[in-house]
Amino acid sequence: DTAVSQTPKYLVTQMGNDKSIKCEQNLGHDTMYWYKQDSKKFLKIMFSYNNKELIINETVPNRFSPKSPDKAHLNLHINSLELGDSAVYFCASRLGHQNTEAFFGQGTRLTVV
Amino acid sequence: GQQVMQIPQYQHVQEGEDFTTYCNSSTTLSNIQWYKQRPGGHPVFLIQLVKSGEVKKQKRLTFQFGEAKKNSSLHITATQTTDVGTYFCAGPLLIYNQGGKLIFGQGTELSVKP
C-alpha cells in the first residue's frame, strides 16, 4: 500500500494545454502540500491545505489551481501550460502540528514542449 | 520571511571519504528535519532533531542541532556509493496553528566515486 500516491508519474504536453495531477494519501494526515522541484533540485512549496482548507498559496500564478475534495486528496490543475512549468511536482502530507515528518509521493515529471 | 540555507550545493567525494552538509536558518526553529532524495526518487525522511545541542546517529550518519536551534549539520563517515543522492534539511513554520509548512534548504547533492 503506497502511503502517498500521485498520478501520472510522467506527463508530456504541449504549450497552452491544460493538465491535472492527482494525489491521494492513506495515512490519515490532515495537511497536504504541493511542491515544485526545478532542475537544480530546489523544493519550492506551492500550496498547503489543512483539513481541505487552503492555508498557503506561495505567489503561484493563478494558472495553477489546487483542489482538495476531502482530507485524503489534493489535486493540481494547471491551465495554459508554459515551458517554464516543466519540473517535477511532488505531493506531500503530514500531520499538521510541527513535530511531524512529511511523506512524499513519487513525483510527477511534467515536460512542456 | 523565514529562510533555510544549505551548503554546499554539490559535493563530490571518493568512496571512503567523509561528507558534511550544513544548514542555517534565519530564525530559531522548533525542530529540524533531514531528508534524502535518491536520483530519480522522492524525498524520504531520515530524522528529526528537537532539542538544543542534540546529536543523533544512524549508523555512519551523525546529525547535530545547534545550541541556538538555528543551524544543523549532517555528517557521513566513510561514504559509500549507496549514499549518493540529495540531502535536504527542512524547518517547520506554523501558520495560524493550522499545520503550516516545511521550508526546505536548497539541498546538497552528493556524488560518490567508487
Side-chain angles (χ1 to χ4, degrees):
Chain A
D1 257 358
T2 305
V4 182
S5 59
Q6 276 178 247
T7 54
K9 190 168 182 180
Y10 299 98
L11 190 50
V12 181
T13 188
Q14 290 189 325
M15 278 176 54
N17 284 350
D18 304 339
K19 290 292 177 187
S20 292
I21 308 171
K22 296 188 175 183
C23 179
E24 176 182 0
Q25 55 95 3
N26 62 6
L27 299 167
H29 291 165
D30 58 358
T31 303
M32 295 185 73
Y33 307 93
W34 280 111
Y35 283 88
K36 179 181 180 181
Q37 186 172 50
D38 59 25
S39 56
K40 293 187 178 179
K41 303 278 197 274
F42 181 55
L43 277 166
K44 179 177 166 54
I45 189 166
M46 299 173 69
F47 301 102
S48 174
Y49 270 75
N50 180 262
N51 287 317
K52 301 194 303 176
E53 184 183 339
L54 177 67
I55 59 171
I56 295 171
N57 179 341
E58 289 284 327
T59 59
V60 177
N62 57 15
R63 296 183 296 105
F64 291 79
S65 51
K67 192 167 287 186
S68 181
D70 55 58
K71 283 199 310 182
H73 295 85
L74 180 62
N75 304 323
L76 183 64
H77 187 76
I78 315 170
N79 289 325
S80 303
L81 279 155
E82 301 177 356
L83 293 176
D85 297 332
S86 296
V88 181
Y89 292 84
F90 285 103
C91 173
S93 74
R94 65 197 280 251
L95 282 174
H97 61 87
Q98 296 190 82
N99 291 352
T100 58
E101 68 198 77
F103 291 79
F104 282 79
Q106 311 94 312
T108 296
R109 182 173 292 278
L110 172 65
T111 304
V112 183
V113 296
Chain B
Q2 182 181 2
Q3 289 187 330
V4 178
M5 309 297 291
Q6 196 174 345
I7 57 169
Q9 189 174 356
Y10 302 98
Q11 186 80 60
H12 309 285
V13 300
Q14 192 77 34
E15 190 173 20
E17 291 180 340
D18 293 354
F19 158 78
T20 305
T21 173
Y22 301 91
C23 185
N24 285 286
S25 170
S26 57
T27 59
T28 301
L29 298 169
S30 61
N31 66 76
I32 193 145
Q33 301 178 358
W34 286 91
Y35 292 78
K36 177 183 178 181
Q37 182 179 15
R38 294 181 187 276
H42 58 280
V44 174
F45 175 79
L46 291 177
I47 207 162
Q48 175 174 270
L49 304 169
V50 178
K51 298 176 185 175
S52 169
E54 189 170 13
V55 178
K56 286 188 176 179
K57 291 192 175 186
Q58 286 181 350
K59 297 183 180 178
R60 294 176 295 101
L61 277 61
T62 302
F63 303 84
Q64 292 189 325
F65 201 9
E67 293 291 339
K69 300 182 75 172
K70 294 179 74 172
N71 62 287
S72 181
S73 65
L74 157 59
H75 180 82
I76 303 179
T77 304
T79 54
Q80 300 175 358
T81 54
T82 53
D83 296 325
V84 163
T86 302
Y87 293 84
F88 294 96
C89 60
L93 177 64
L94 195 63
I95 306 290
Y96 311 125
N97 288 320
Q98 285 181 313
K101 61 183 180 181
L102 276 178
I103 301 174
F104 281 81
Q106 298 94 324
T108 297
E109 190 173 339
L110 173 65
S111 62
V112 179
K113 188 174 180 181

